[in-house]
Amino acid sequence: MTGQTIILRPAVPADAPALAALARQSFIDAFAHFYRPEDLQQFLDEWKTPEVYTRAIADPDTAIRLAEVDGELAAYALVKRGYVMDDHPHPRPQRPVFLSQLYCAGHLTGHGLGRQLMDWVLEQARDWQADSLSLSVYSENPGAQRFYQRYGFEKVADTEFWVGSQRDEEYLYELRL
């Protein structure tokens, strides 16, 4: 990304429509071929809307960091304080942080934005004095799995993720802090 200006900043309410648009397009680009159109649409309409991101931005236990490239939203990370998945094995963390989303525009994947956002995620978890950082990753996404493993995340459980009426197998990863 030589010669391009990259800015990382917190999300503000006015960013909600752009966040929803990037989330929708990133998900479609990466995963649409796995789903029936009606399941994909149900998922997008439930989880990837400006209203969902407006609520997340307003939530004091949620933080969203944006990565802009030359003034355009290119990637983001969304973390939640105090959230632990039901599938998390014992012992459960006392001060968990959950990386809910780390999305990047498809044409910018592999240019270091994920690394920069992941560095922020770790910093945010430490600022919140978390004892663990967890996330779920699609079982058929070895590239994402390798990315998280480079940060020291380890698989701690099998879990599931629903897109409409389709159940996907995912892995619950955790990094103890």
Side-chain angles (χ1 to χ4, degrees):
M1 303 202 43
T2 306
Q4 295 179 306
T5 303
I6 300 171
I7 295 174
L8 271 61
R9 65 172 180 84
V12 297
D15 294 316
L19 274 165
L22 177 60
R24 292 172 80 91
Q25 194 59 56
S26 296
F27 195 88
I28 289 167
D29 290 347
F31 303 114
H33 60 283
F34 290 118
Y35 305 111
R36 295 186 342 224
E38 58 271 20
D39 286 330
L40 178 62
Q41 193 62 52
Q42 179 184 347
F43 172 78
L44 296 173
D45 291 346
E46 184 174 354
W47 296 105
K48 306 298 182 195
T49 67
E51 295 78 20
V52 166
Y53 289 97
T54 297
R55 286 191 300 273
I57 292 166
D59 181 354
D61 289 324
T62 299
I64 304 173
R65 187 64 132 202
L66 309 180
E68 294 178 335
V69 175
D70 292 337
E72 297 293 323
L73 181 59
Y76 72 93
L78 187 155
V79 292
K80 297 179 179 189
R81 175 175 38 192
Y83 178 80
V84 63
M85 292 184 73
D86 292 339
D87 296 333
H88 193 288
H90 291 281
R92 295 168 72 85
Q94 298 299 304
R95 295 177 316 282
V97 169
F98 185 74
L99 173 56
S100 176
Q101 299 168 40
L102 179 58
Y103 281 31
C104 184
H107 69 285
L108 294 172
T109 299
H111 292 278
L113 296 174
R115 179 187 47 76
Q116 291 180 56
L117 287 168
M118 195 65 201
D119 290 345
W120 170 82
V121 166
L122 291 166
E123 179 183 318
Q124 184 66 54
R126 289 184 181 109
D127 286 350
W128 280 341
Q129 300 178 336
D131 58 354
S132 84
L133 176 61
S134 62
L135 58 95
S136 70
V137 62
Y138 185 41
S139 63
E140 301 297 320
N141 191 347
Q145 293 168 33
R146 284 189 302 273
F147 175 81
Y148 295 121
Q149 290 166 358
R150 283 194 299 269
Y151 283 89
F153 283 86
E154 296 179 351
K155 179 184 170 190
V156 295
D158 292 318
T159 190
E160 58 189 26
F161 184 82
W162 288 89
V163 175
S165 62
Q166 182 172 324
R167 178 189 167 278
D168 289 338
E169 293 180 15
E170 295 221 349
Y171 301 140
L172 178 59
Y173 273 30
E174 181 179 55
L175 175 65
R176 287 289 177 159
L177 302 173

